[in-house]
Amino acid sequence: MTPANTLTRRTATLALSLCMAAAFAGEALAQTPPAPVRMRGTILSVTPATLTVKDRSGEVVELAMSDKLVVSEVYPIKLDDIKPGSYIGTAAMPQPDGTQRAIAVSVFPESARGTGDGHRPFDLLPQSTMTNATVADVSAIANTPAGRKLQLKYKGGEQTVIVPPDAPVVTSRPGDRSLLVPGASVSLFAQAIDGKPTVLRINAGRNGFALPY
């Protein structure tokens, strides 16, 4: 399945959740809330209560903004900022030799250490993975001084990740709604609440910075 098809499917899932919520709105029995849906894309417009996003599939979706909306700013850092002991998340592609080749790396702030610990499939690209783990060791890649080989350890396993020189490296910090402007690159989680697709959490880049995933 291509990334576009995956995102289209996820957008359709959000729309279906909305329809289901509306259909059952008058029933007395409590309904299990639909699972949050992840979207990645660009903000087209903003009002005090809504956000219109064009996701990477080309779909345009209007979303309500929760009163408890959590906004984080994602910004670039250097590959050298990854140290032994850093807690990171890396989107990657499996390699024939058993290693993972990083597409992008996110260094978690200390307050988020342990978030999503483990290794799992990821929806960025077909066959891509996500590993959230502690960096046990960092070493240079032979014949590629700017690249790095990371030995990652998480509960129950470990992975060797090759980070090429062109892989984006980012981190995050608390943000606010001033980041939510037309043209901003975003990654968000939304859920149908009271019959409306609603943004719960959103990561955004500042001044045109494009989020790597």
Side-chain angles (χ1 to χ4, degrees), residues 35-96:
V37 174
R38 182 167 187 163
M39 293 179 59
R40 307 176 181 89
T42 303
I43 294 176
L44 296 181
S45 62
V46 185
T47 74
T50 65
L51 196 65
T52 301
V53 175
K54 183 177 182 179
D55 73 25
R56 292 183 182 182
S57 73
E59 297 286 338
V60 175
V61 181
E62 182 178 288
L63 303 134
M65 289 192 284
S66 167
D67 292 340
K68 298 179 180 180
L69 177 64
V70 176
V71 181
S72 296
E73 179 186 355
V74 176
Y75 61 97
I77 57 176
K78 297 179 180 179
L79 180 54
D80 287 345
D81 290 327
I82 301 175
K83 308 289 186 183
S86 295
Y87 189 78
I88 70 168
T90 177
M93 293 299 296
Q95 301 300 295

Side-chain angles (χ1 to χ4, degrees), residues 18-35:
L18 171 58
C19 292
M20 290 178 64
F24 289 106
E27 295 194 8
L29 293 176
Q31 302 297 320
T32 302

Side-chain angles (χ1 to χ4, degrees), residues 156-188:
E158 61 182 74
Q159 296 289 331
T160 298
V161 177
I162 304 301
V163 185
D166 59 348
V169 181
V170 301
T171 190
S172 63
R173 57 192 169 204
D176 56 44
R177 296 194 185 197
S178 68
L179 292 167
L180 307 182
V181 297
S185 173
V186 295
S187 172
L188 62 88

Side-chain angles (χ1 to χ4, degrees), residues 3 14 27 29 39 44 52 64 72 80-81 94 96-98 101 103 106 108 110 115 117 134 172 194 205-206 213:
L14 184 59
E27 295 194 8
L29 293 176
M39 293 179 59
L44 296 181
T52 301
S72 296
D80 287 345
D81 290 327
D97 62 0
R101 183 177 177 85
I103 302 169
S106 179
F108 285 82
E110 188 59 31
T115 300
D117 193 66
T134 300
S172 63
D194 295 331
R206 186 185 296 275
Y213 61 82

Side-chain angles (χ1 to χ4, degrees), residues 122-207:
F122 194 47
D123 64 353
L124 184 62
L125 294 172
Q127 308 303 316
S128 64
T129 65
M130 172 59 68
T131 305
N132 287 12
T134 300
V135 177
D137 186 60
V138 181
S139 58
I141 303 171
N143 303 317
T144 313
R148 294 290 185 272
K149 179 169 71 173
L150 308 180
Q151 194 67 31
L152 304 183
K153 293 189 176 182
Y154 50 90
K155 185 177 181 179
E158 61 182 74
Q159 296 289 331
T160 298
V161 177
I162 304 301
V163 185
D166 59 348
V169 181
V170 301
T171 190
S172 63
R173 57 192 169 204
D176 56 44
R177 296 194 185 197
S178 68
L179 292 167
L180 307 182
V181 297
S185 173
V186 295
S187 172
L188 62 88
F189 284 91
Q191 187 175 40
I193 298 176
D194 295 331
K196 297 179 180 180
T198 303
V199 185
L200 307 175
R201 293 186 286 123
I202 186 166
N203 298 324
R206 186 185 296 275
N207 296 330

